[in-house]
Every structure is written in C-alpha cells, then in structure tokens.
Amino acid sequence: AIVGAGPAGLSLALALRAVAPHLKVKVFERSAALVPSGAAVTLFANGLNALEAISPAALEAVEAAGTPGAGMVAHNARTDDVEHVNPATEWKVSPDGPPLRSSLFIPWFRLQCALLCAWGGKQGEDLVLGKALQGIQQDDTGATMTFKDGSTAKACVVVGADGNMSAVRNALFSEMPEYIGTAFWRALLSPLPASWDLSQDHNKPGWLHNWVDKTTGKLMMIRVFDDQMSVSAASSWPEERLQELWRRSYYGEGSEDEIKRHHEAKQARFLEMFATEFPSYPISLLSSIDPTTIVEHGTFYRSPEQPWGEGCCTLLGDAAHVMPPNFGQGTSMAFEGAYTLATHLGRAAAAATEANPVGSAAYKEALQSELVAALRRYEEQHLHRVRPISDASIASARQFYQEKDGKTNPLASKNTEVLQFIFSAHQGGSPFKPLSSSSEGAHLLTPAGSRTTVSAGGSASAQRGTSACGSSPPRLLSSMGRRASSLQCLQRRRSSMQQSQTPPLLRTQLRGIGRAAPVAMNACSLVHWIV
C-alpha cells in the first residue's frame, strides 16, 4: 500500500509495476478530489533520468506537460532593473565544456496527472480518494491501516509518500518536522496579463525571473506555457502565526463559506508580504492571480538521519527527508527514492518467488520477510544519496532566512557559481538501468560516485565510478553545515557508468490541464486529456 498520490507515491506505483507486476499495489490519497493548485516544480537531470528508468512513457508524458528551462533573469528587488541574465546554454561545468542538460518546469498538478495517466490505476480499485490515515497496527503478516472515515485496509508493506506532514510518519514515530522560519506561496497565473511583453526573448516560456531581498525574501516567476505563469514567493513568517496558513481547502475540507473566506485571506496575505518591498510591476501581476490556485505553507525540514521506517513500513520523498526548496531537489529525490525502493522490493519479491511455490504458506512467509529486509536496504542506500543534498539545503536556508545572509541564496544574481555547481552535478550519462522484472540487476546511486548492482537475492556489490567532472564545490558551500562539503560526491558520477538504453517512447502529450481543467478529476477521466 502507498499512502499519498503525489509524485513520490505515483512514481513508486509505476516502478513497482515494472519490477513486480504480480504484486498488488493500491494508493490511498487523503484528498477527496484531485484539484489544480500550486505552482511549477523543477525537475533536474537526475530526477528525469530516474523517471525515464522507471517508465520511458511516463517521462515523455511529463516532458510534454512541462517546459524546458531556458535560463534565469535576476532583477533588482527594489528597482526591478535586470542585474543578470544567465541563459541555460551558458550553464557549463567548465568554459570549454558542453551546455548542461536542461531542467524541466512543470505545474505540480500537471505532473500528478501525467504520472496518473502513465500508471493507469483505476479509481476506487487501485487509487482510493478521501482516505485520511489515522493509525497503523503491525503484526507478523503486515500492517492494518485505519482511516478517519472508520474503514481499514491490510497490506504486507506500507509506504508513506504523504508529504512533510506525513500521517504515516506520525503514526510510526509521533514527530513533526522543524520549521525554518519562512512561509511559501505558490500559484498559477493564467491567462497572462497584457502588460507582460511577450515579444522579449526573456519573457518566453522556460525563463525564470527572480527578485531576491535578504530582508523580505524572494519572488520567482516562470512562464511555463504561452498563456500560463508559475509564481512562487517566500518570506519570513512567525511560527506563532503558522495556524493562519490553512491548507484544509486543498484537501476539500471545510464548509464552502470557510473555503471562500480562506481563499480571500490567503491572497491578501500574499500581497501584503511583498507589496511594500518589491517593485510595483511584479506585484501588479500577483493581484491578477486566481486565489483558488494559491497554496500557502510553512517551510519545514527534517534531518535525513531521523528514522524512515519500522517493521513493514517505510517512508518516501518529503515524508522521509523533507528539505527546504533552495536547491529544487525535492521531487527529483522522490523519483530517485522510488527507483531505489522499487528495485529492492522487486528483488525481494523475486527471491521469495524463486524459493517457494507462489501462494503457498511458505511463499507468503518468505515474501513478508524479504520485503521487510528490502525496506531496510532501501533506507540505508538512499540515505547516503540524500544526506549531502539535504544538509546543504538546510544550512543554506538557515543562513538566508534566519541569519539574513543574502550570499547564501542560490537564486541571488551573483551566485552563478553556485548555480553552475548545482546543475553540473546532475549532468552526464544516466546511472539508472531501465526497470524490469527480468533484469539481472539495477544500478543505484551511492556515495562518492560509486554504483551498486543489486542481485536478485537482494545482495549488493559496489563498483567505483570515475569522476564525471573535475570541478570542486564553490567556497560558499563549504560553510553550509557539517556535511555540506560532501556535495562533491554528486559530481563524481557518470563517465564510467553504462548509459541506459531508451526503449521506443510512447508518443503521449497532455493538454488542457491547468486553467481549463475541471475542478475535480479522477484517474479514469484523466485519459480524456491525452492525445
């Protein structure tokens, strides 16, 4: 069972279908309906590589639903003057090196829809909406989940992919993430106002515009499509006022009047936080946003060293290792985690099948034992991958939002060296082999550029990879916490690794999801948005 129908949970459902199609996978989602809200997320090469290995068709659907990153325009937060233009074609590991692979901007809801369509789960059977988890009871045969509507469900394995305020994590460990001291507002603006000059190259789709003020925060706008812009903003927010950032409307909770008042209030907060400090032009765009698309929330983090699982339960994505969005790695890490977890679970299922007749009591006992052991292997493996990124992101966010050190913000106009370092760490050939139930082994990312091949029985052997790029992390990163310098391990990755062969891609495109999308969609009706 997977709890949470976001990118982490859906990518895991896709991956498990590839490695163990005989296993029954069911996804439980708290929301009563899937609604378009929020802003764009960024997928970097590592996340795109992982998704391609999970499902080439899913990758193509996601790419068709998003926009490749074209570059960044840094504005003066007081005057709106352009201070720096950094085209994506100039993001290189070295002056003589090739351009780096483009990132992808995609609205969160479109990403969810693309993954749902690629998975093909049926609502009510494979995907169950309106299921808010209340508790978990484990025994030798698996776990029983209890939901707030009084219903229950039994599963041999439970994966919590339900975000930073994970109900699965709370059921296992009764702990919440730590607040970094800032709040985020995310929304989609569509159609674009007439004042947005569409003739300028830097205003075309794929360009990220940012305004950074170390006192107030930062404002980012990305034109993701011809008629749609993603807006994200962050500002300091007192912890005692966190209860004002009400997210129940996103889950379809609350009365109609409550939700309406909340939408009006959150737009007022959005404008209030930035209207006095930022230039009038971007603020005028904010006033055009449909308040129903705004998602507001505090920014939290959790040390990846905290436990991820217990017994037959584990965590994935933000539920396991939520980090501030400074480096834009949340979704990409979720895809990598889904790949790693599915690989271990697939090998465990294969080992149980080889040793016992399927359906026998011995098979069920062996399968449960193998799957639980696979969860612990995944947690150990993926921790090594996540730790350096999470540590540096947390340290950077603390310095920028709490200590007001503008030099530590990756989007500051003078920090192109940091940007180049972050992006260069994601380039090169993919270390991920395409997932399948018949493959002999799958490559997993491990510390310092080594790779691990997991055998059918679940054992792992490591092989060292050679340096993919010789650059060192910028001096700025060396001050970002106890382990931040270990980000160098992200650079030593790819040159000796065998690139995965891409099977023919399903030519799939998503359209119409966003401004024109229905207020509520289910997994079955999503296919009508495919051409």
Side-chain angles (χ1 to χ4, degrees):
I2 300 170
V3 179
L10 294 175
S11 60
L12 177 60
L14 275 163
L16 289 174
R17 186 183 66 183
V19 300
H22 59 288
L23 291 182
K24 175 66 175 177
V25 176
K26 184 172 285 191
V27 178
F28 298 89
E29 167 57 38
R30 169 182 174 175
S31 302
L34 306 180
V35 297
S37 63
V41 298
T42 305
L43 297 175
F44 292 112
N46 58 313
L48 297 172
N49 285 338
L51 183 59
E52 182 177 32
I54 289 171
S55 169
L59 174 67
E60 187 163 354
V62 167
E63 288 182 328
T67 297
M72 185 185 73
V73 180
H75 298 258
N76 186 291
R78 303 290 178 171
T79 67
D80 200 28
D81 294 336
V82 174
E83 295 184 336
H84 185 78
V85 176
N86 191 9
T89 55
E90 296 181 4
W91 295 343
K92 300 179 179 180
V93 176
S94 64
D96 300 327
L100 304 179
R101 176 177 177 175
S102 175
S103 56
L104 184 77
F105 299 127
I106 178 171
W108 191 95
F109 181 68
R110 290 176 67 99
L111 174 60
Q112 183 186 44
C113 289
L115 294 174
L116 268 171
C117 291
W119 175 44
K122 297 180 180 179
Q123 183 175 332
E125 182 178 340
D126 305 308
L127 171 65
V128 186
L129 300 178
K131 292 295 181 181
L133 184 74
Q134 187 171 46
I136 298 176
Q137 292 291 329
Q138 299 189 58
D139 57 32
D140 292 340
T141 63
T144 300
M145 298 173 289
T146 302
F147 301 97
K148 291 185 178 180
D149 63 2
S151 62
T152 62
K154 182 69 181 287
C156 56
V157 166
V158 174
V159 179
D162 49 343
N164 61 351
M165 297 297 178
S166 170
V168 176
R169 174 179 276 279
N170 188 54
L172 295 176
F173 307 116
S174 300
E175 60 89 12
M176 301 297 286
E178 296 185 57
Y179 181 52
I180 201 71
T182 187
F184 251 86
W185 288 263
R186 307 174 191 267
L188 291 174
L189 175 60
S190 182
L192 298 183
S195 58
W196 187 262
D197 187 352
L198 303 181
S199 64
Q200 294 188 24
D201 287 343
H202 300 158
N203 287 345
K204 293 180 179 179
W207 281 92
L208 184 153
H209 294 254
N210 77 82
W211 296 259
V212 178
D213 181 88
K214 69 177 183 180
T215 302
T216 304
K218 60 186 179 184
L219 175 64
M220 294 173 287
M221 294 184 178
I222 307 166
R223 186 180 171 200
V224 286
F225 304 108
D226 288 338
D227 65 342
Q228 193 174 76
M229 183 184 297
S230 170
V231 179
S232 298
S235 180
S236 298
W237 188 263
E239 186 169 6
E240 59 270 19
R241 293 182 61 191
L242 276 175
Q243 70 277 5
E244 296 178 27
L245 308 181
W246 194 57
R247 297 192 67 186
R248 288 173 58 200
S249 60
Y250 174 78
Y251 300 111
E253 301 174 359
S255 68
E256 185 175 339
D257 287 342
E258 281 181 310
I259 293 174
K260 181 180 178 181
R261 289 196 301 270
H262 173 62
H263 286 323
E264 294 171 349
K266 67 183 178 182
Q267 186 176 41
R269 283 190 292 269
F270 195 179
L271 294 171
E272 175 189 355
M273 295 304 299
F274 300 93
T276 59
E277 302 294 339
F278 284 82
S280 59
Y281 176 65
I283 298 303
S284 68
L285 296 180
L286 298 184
S287 63
S288 303
I289 292 174
D290 178 358
T292 64
T293 71
I294 298 174
V295 172
E296 58 178 0
H297 57 85
T299 305
F300 298 87
Y301 69 93
R302 179 184 286 111
S303 169
E305 300 289 352
Q306 294 183 13
W308 293 10
E310 180 180 80
C312 63
C313 301
T314 195
L315 302 168
L316 176 67
D318 283 352
H321 46 71
V322 62
M323 62 185 80
N326 297 57
F327 296 162
Q329 278 291 304
T331 307
S332 292
M333 283 293 101
F335 287 165
E336 286 199 26
Y339 178 94
T340 303
L341 176 54
T343 298
H344 285 296
L345 290 175
R347 301 300 165 233
T353 302
E354 291 172 2
N356 305 278
V358 175
S360 65
Y363 166 77
K364 293 178 181 178
E365 182 178 352
L367 178 63
Q368 189 65 29
S369 176
E370 291 283 357
L371 291 177
V372 170
L375 299 184
R376 305 291 89 81
R377 289 194 290 269
Y378 146 73
E379 292 160 5
E380 180 181 5
Q381 184 80 44
H382 197 46
L383 171 63
H384 289 302
R385 172 65 174 153
V386 170
R387 182 191 290 125
I389 300 173
S390 177
D391 287 347
S393 178
I394 293 169
S396 173
R398 281 175 174 164
Q399 288 180 258
F400 180 71
Y401 293 114
Q402 296 179 357
E403 302 173 22
K404 308 300 182 184
D405 182 0
K407 295 180 180 180
T408 62
N409 181 27
L411 290 176
S413 60
K414 296 181 181 179
N415 286 345
T416 55
E417 184 183 18
V418 177
L419 283 171
Q420 289 172 349
F421 169 70
I422 294 171
F423 287 117
S424 68
H426 306 148
Q427 309 311 307
S430 173
F432 302 106
K433 282 188 174 182
L435 290 182
S436 72
S437 58
S438 60
S439 59
E440 294 182 358
H443 291 169
L444 309 175
L445 291 178
T446 54
S450 62
R451 68 179 180 181
T452 297
T453 300
V454 182
S455 66
S459 61
S461 60
Q463 298 172 320
R464 295 291 300 177
T466 58
S467 175
C469 55
S471 59
S472 299
R475 183 173 300 175
L476 170 65
L477 291 180
S478 64
S479 64
M480 288 187 177
R482 181 165 53 93
R483 300 189 193 88
S485 61
S486 62
L487 276 169
Q488 294 177 72
C489 73
L490 300 180
Q491 292 179 295
R492 302 189 287 268
R493 295 180 55 175
R494 311 257 174 103
S495 62
S496 68
M497 298 181 183
Q498 178 182 356
Q499 287 193 329
S500 61
Q501 298 299 314
T502 305
L505 298 180
L506 176 65
R507 308 217 174 274
T508 307
Q509 290 187 350
L510 278 172
R511 70 178 181 187
I513 300 174
R515 175 171 55 91
V519 173
M521 304 179 71
N522 59 46
C524 298
S525 64
L526 284 172
V527 297
H528 298 298
W529 297 93
I530 299 289
V531 294

